[in-house]
Amino acid sequence: MHSADSARSIEDTAEEWQVTATEVPFQGKKTSVRTDEVVMPDGSVVRRDYQVHPGSVAVLALDAEDRVVVLRQYRHPVRQRLWEIPAGLLDVPGENPLHAAQRELYEEAHIKAEQWWVLTDVYTTPGGCDEAVRIFLARDLSEAEGQRFEVSEEEADMELARVPLPELVRGALAGRLHNNCLVVGVLAVAAALSAGLDTLRPADAPWPARPFDA
């Protein structure tokens, strides 16, 4: 185990260990499972199973009263109805994540926003999945024009609300809220508001985990 040098910049870096063989034992509609045989530093070879994921975007939409647009949705794998922020898959390879985020905010909440920043980028479960998520901050909100997007399946039962940011921060810290993007988003935006929104990256900032077209 290496110790971190306090004088060194703390930053994740790209690295790829040798893979001697790979297979795909499961191929789903949007994701798959891959098994790689990976060479360890001591020369041994181990098998690593992980989910291959196209990536996602999420939107922390904050209104003029500092309320967050949230929705409540049933998530079958964890057998819970979770409070979340609007989010969705990057369905098209190379898709601009900002465009995808604007689409999700419209489809799930029927809202448009005039101001956008990158709030933070995360890997949701790097020990077992390569999903990368870009969370945006959206402000200057208004109701979208036209008819609402028609939803189906779990989304047809969604509940929509606007909740004060401090209440969501307290809920995350108290263990009452568990959705990854919601928890990361509300804590990140609380920090960003304290530090100043000029510390955030622009909405079109590069994203090495999921390179995109302009």
Side-chain angles (χ1 to χ4, degrees):
M1 181 178 292
H2 300 284
S3 60
D5 183 348
S6 60
R8 187 176 62 186
S9 173
I10 302 300
E11 181 178 356
D12 298 334
T13 55
E15 185 170 339
E16 188 167 354
W17 292 1
Q18 181 185 359
V19 175
T20 59
T22 187
E23 60 183 84
V24 180
F26 170 77
Q27 179 67 57
K29 182 179 179 182
K30 298 290 186 181
T31 66
S32 61
V33 172
R34 181 177 297 166
T35 300
D36 289 342
E37 295 188 2
V38 186
V39 180
M40 298 288 106
D42 64 1
S44 62
V45 177
V46 302
R47 291 170 64 88
R48 291 288 179 261
D49 303 317
Y50 59 100
Q51 183 184 25
V52 178
H53 193 285
S56 307
V57 291
V59 185
L60 194 296
L62 192 65
D63 70 13
E65 300 174 45
D66 282 348
R67 298 176 303 172
V68 180
V69 176
V70 293
L71 48 92
R72 195 169 179 233
Q73 184 172 350
Y74 175 67
R75 293 300 189 182
H76 185 70
V78 295
R79 307 303 199 269
Q80 289 196 14
R81 190 182 292 269
L82 302 179
W83 285 103
E84 306 181 354
I85 57 178
L89 297 176
L90 289 169
D91 294 311
V92 181
E95 181 178 15
N96 187 306
L98 174 60
H99 298 166
Q102 291 169 334
R103 180 186 67 238
E104 293 300 330
L105 184 60
Y106 165 72
E107 291 183 355
E108 295 193 347
H110 202 64
I111 287 173
K112 64 179 181 178
E114 300 301 324
Q115 295 182 296
W116 292 82
W117 297 264
V118 173
L119 185 55
T120 190
D121 298 325
V122 295
Y123 292 115
T124 57
T125 321
C129 180
D130 72 349
E131 180 183 13
V133 179
R134 169 157 282 189
I135 305 176
F136 290 91
L137 169 61
R139 300 213 70 176
D140 194 2
L141 311 181
S142 61
E143 289 293 316
E145 298 174 357
Q147 289 187 322
R148 285 185 172 272
F149 182 80
E150 187 174 342
V151 296
S152 61
E153 300 176 349
E154 288 93 343
E155 292 183 351
D157 193 43
M158 286 193 310
E159 176 185 348
L160 197 64
R162 295 195 183 198
V163 180
L165 177 62
E167 183 177 336
L168 294 176
V169 170
R170 289 193 296 269
L173 297 179
R176 296 192 297 269
L177 301 169
H178 305 88
N179 175 265
N180 184 298
C181 291
L182 177 111
V183 171
V184 171
V186 299
L187 296 181
V189 81
L193 289 171
S194 176
L197 296 185
D198 57 348
T199 60
L200 295 178
R201 288 168 291 159
D204 60 353
W207 189 17
R210 292 294 185 273
F212 58 90
D213 301 326

